Amino acid sequence: MTRAQRYTNLAAVVLPLLAFLAAVVLLWNRIVGWHDLALLGVMYVLTGLGITVGFHRMLTHRSFQTSTAVERTFAILGSLAVQGSVIQWVSDHRKHHAHTDEEGDPHSPHAGFAGGGIGGTLRGLFHAHVGWILTEQGGENRARYAKDLVEDRGMKRISDNFHWLVLVSLALPAAAGFALTGGELKGALTGLLWGGFVRIFLLHHVTWSINSICHFLGTRRFDVDDHSTNVFWLALPSFGEAWHHNHHTFPRSAQHGLKAWERAMDPSALVIAGLEKLGLAWNVVRITPERQREKTLVS
């Protein structure tokens, strides 16, 4: 990772954190309007689905097929989440699956931290949650792990213009806040704060929790050689990504929630099903009950 990339990643971690602390102070003093929370919610959902449906299930694992226009739209929405360029994100995540919880996994809380007692455990969790951003992110051979995207001109253009999309990610809620308050500067600033920085902060930490918590605490029911877990209380804020053990068992599945009640808490799968009904998604990968039983641990 170059020095510029490291500083950029550091800024992406620190600035939203500082903005979140400022937002807490403002909320404590009740200097927050309905439009601020609405912008936070709308931007969180759109960019979160850009990551989960777009970057993850569609591009990383090819869980379904869609048109070029829909693919590009989700790639842009995912970029607005400010978790790295689309090619970088996909490359890192594919390497995670190639070396899950072993040497070479860019964000495992276990690889390299075994036998370290409480200190080693905490270091592993910190690395998996945020530390890897400063040491591992973007360091993979993209031609090896994301060759299909590197060779896609449109996707490469979106990836190469990630820095401009970061600015768009901040400008959109600022402009919306300005418009919703009738042209008030305060509305633009609070829109930027809540719909921009605070939203980025919250979505960052929910996503990073999949790397850390969902490889450390939770439930398991399938026979797989890693430490992935399902964490039900993270399912909704992560748009279904916290059914992570299910996902590692069946990586290409468009549904991470496999049981009926899990599917109800898998918004990303519901969005994909909606796209399918509209004729905008096809060849959606789903796992039959028979295949699930074959992988189920014997109690």
Side-chain angles (χ1 to χ4, degrees):
M1 187 184 302
T2 66
R3 181 177 296 180
Q5 289 173 323
R6 185 174 289 108
Y7 287 158
T8 299
N9 286 346
L10 182 62
V13 172
V14 174
L15 290 179
L17 171 61
L18 295 177
F20 177 75
L21 295 176
V24 170
V25 173
L26 291 177
L27 182 61
W28 187 265
N29 292 312
R30 298 184 181 180
I31 307 176
V32 59
W34 65 267
H35 59 281
D36 300 315
L37 299 182
L39 287 171
L40 169 61
V42 169
M43 291 295 293
Y44 184 93
V45 170
L46 289 177
T47 59
L49 290 174
I51 289 291
T52 62
V53 174
F55 279 22
H56 193 199
R57 305 189 195 195
M58 180 180 69
L59 294 174
T60 300
H61 296 290
R62 302 297 185 182
S63 296
F64 64 97
Q65 291 179 281
T66 186
S67 66
T68 299
V70 172
E71 190 172 87
R72 300 289 189 266
T73 298
F74 273 103
I76 291 171
L77 287 175
S79 300
L80 297 183
V82 194
Q83 295 185 11
S85 70
V86 57
I87 293 179
Q88 171 193 303
W89 200 101
V90 170
S91 178
D92 286 337
H93 194 73
R94 285 178 179 173
K95 187 178 183 186
H96 165 63
H97 275 270
H99 305 280
T100 306
D101 289 325
E102 299 175 349
E103 184 178 353
D105 186 338
H107 48 64
S108 171
H110 302 282
F113 300 97
I118 294 177
T121 297
L122 293 177
R123 287 193 300 272
L125 286 171
F126 177 80
H127 170 79
H129 193 79
V130 68
W132 77 280
I133 297 293
L134 305 178
T135 59
E136 302 290 339
Q137 188 184 39
E140 314 313 333
N141 185 336
R142 300 180 186 191
R144 176 182 177 187
Y145 289 102
K147 182 179 179 181
D148 54 327
L149 301 186
V150 172
E151 294 177 348
D152 183 326
R153 288 187 178 182
M155 202 60 65
K156 190 172 187 304
R157 188 177 299 114
I158 293 172
S159 191
D160 290 344
N161 286 283
F162 171 66
H163 55 295
W164 294 114
L165 291 172
V166 171
L167 295 179
V168 170
S169 181
L170 298 173
L172 278 176
F178 184 78
L180 290 172
T181 56
E184 293 184 7
L185 177 60
K186 176 186 172 183
L189 293 176
T190 57
L192 171 64
L193 177 64
W194 290 91
F197 287 116
V198 173
R199 176 261 309 174
I200 291 170
F201 171 83
L202 293 176
L203 189 56
H204 272 178
H205 283 279
V206 168
T207 301
W208 295 340
S209 293
I210 306 302
N211 300 338
S212 56
I213 294 172
C214 292
H215 278 265
F216 196 79
L217 300 172
T219 60
R220 293 166 56 85
R221 69 174 181 271
F222 296 113
D223 185 13
V224 290
D225 294 329
D226 59 41
H227 298 277
S228 59
T229 62
N230 292 329
V231 181
F232 78 92
W233 50 268
L234 264 176
L236 286 179
S238 68
F239 302 102
E241 297 293 281
W243 303 120
H244 198 56
H245 176 61
N246 297 349
H247 168 57
H248 269 271
T249 307
F250 305 105
R252 290 203 63 216
S253 176
Q255 296 175 324
H256 290 190
L258 298 177
K259 293 183 177 180
W261 70 275
E262 293 174 348
R263 289 196 294 274
M265 298 173 68
D266 187 355
S268 297
L270 297 177
V271 169
I272 295 170
L275 292 172
E276 187 179 28
K277 288 183 180 296
L278 293 172
L280 297 174
W282 52 89
N283 293 335
V284 178
V285 178
R286 295 185 175 91
I287 308 303
T288 65
E290 291 74 22
R291 283 189 64 197
Q292 293 179 44
R293 283 194 291 270
E294 290 174 1
K295 282 281 191 176
T296 302
L297 289 166
V298 178
S299 58

